[in-house]
């Protein structure tokens, strides 16, 4: 029996939303609200493409929907960063309602890394997340970001140098965790 377009998409979205959210959290330097918005927009764009028909009336299939969703997520993030008018400003302190850390988590390390990522330019942050969190190749990262491979290499080297400086010049203390 053939499943409907909506059922197929819901299955995909359920399976991929966690990974998309984790990547979005890294891209936004821990801003979970913005990360949720980016994931929602990404899934909305994916649904618009899901099962779309081509010129001959045949369904257009995405070869690797998970990779395509990551590409859409990164491009959505970079597009959002270009729009400066879309910025809400918090006015006060909210109580800390974070969940307690899971066993083995190091909250200090997480905060230090997110703070260091926040110091990077959006494109540098995207390169670091794609190359070292998503484990993408230089060519894949270049294709996703629509830049040359040389630009990805240059951004990687500079971003990693800034991260090392931001983390005190040495990652040895964090590597022992």
């Amino acid at each position: 029996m053939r499943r409907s377009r909506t059922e197929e998409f819901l299955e995909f979205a359920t399976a991929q939303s966690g990974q998309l959210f984790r990547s979005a959290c890294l891209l936004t330097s821990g801003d979970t609200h913005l990360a949720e918005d980016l994931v929602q927009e990404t899934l909305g764009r994916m649904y618009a493409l899901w099962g779309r028909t081509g010129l001959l009336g045949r369904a257009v299939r995405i070869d690797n929907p998970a990779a395509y969703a990551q590409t859409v997520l990164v491009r959505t993030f970079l597009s959002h960063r270009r729009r400066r008018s879309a910025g809400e400003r918090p006015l006060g302190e909210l109580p800390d309602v974070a969940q307690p850390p899971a066993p083995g988590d190091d909250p200090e390390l997480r905060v230090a890394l997110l703070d260091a990522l926040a110091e990077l330019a959006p494109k540098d942050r995207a390169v670091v997340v794609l190359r070292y969190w998503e484990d993408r190749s230089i060519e894949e990262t270049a294709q996703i970001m629509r830049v040359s491979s040389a630009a990805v290499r240059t951004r990687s080297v500079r971003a990693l140098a800034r991260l090392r400086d931001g983390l005190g010049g040495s990652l040895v203390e964090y590597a022992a965790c």
Side-chain angles (χ1 to χ4, degrees), residues 68-143:
Y68 189 76
Q70 288 291 338
T71 300
V72 172
L73 176 70
V74 170
R75 290 181 182 168
T76 301
F77 165 72
L78 292 173
S79 174
H80 177 278
R81 295 299 298 178
R82 280 187 223 110
R83 288 180 271 150
R84 293 291 178 190
S85 63
E88 297 177 4
R89 307 284 185 246
L91 298 176
E93 293 291 323
L94 295 176
D96 185 18
V97 293
Q99 296 178 349
D105 276 357
D106 185 358
E108 292 176 16
L109 173 61
R110 182 180 302 211
V111 169
L113 290 174
L114 288 175
D115 288 345
L117 278 172
E119 295 297 318
L120 297 177
K123 287 185 180 181
D124 290 344
R125 194 176 323 142
V127 166
V128 169
V129 170
L130 288 169
R131 288 281 294 130
Y132 303 103
W133 173 258
E134 295 292 327
D135 199 26
R136 305 279 180 154
S137 70
I138 291 172
E139 292 75 22
E140 287 176 313
T141 302
Q143 184 180 11

Side-chain angles (χ1 to χ4, degrees), residues 41-80:
E41 189 168 341
T42 297
L43 291 175
R45 290 180 183 190
M46 289 293 295
Y47 183 73
L49 295 173
W50 203 264
R52 184 175 64 179
T53 57
L55 294 175
L56 301 175
R58 294 186 200 128
V60 176
R61 301 292 293 172
I62 300 169
D63 291 335
N64 187 345
Y68 189 76
Q70 288 291 338
T71 300
V72 172
L73 176 70
V74 170
R75 290 181 182 168
T76 301
F77 165 72
L78 292 173
S79 174
H80 177 278

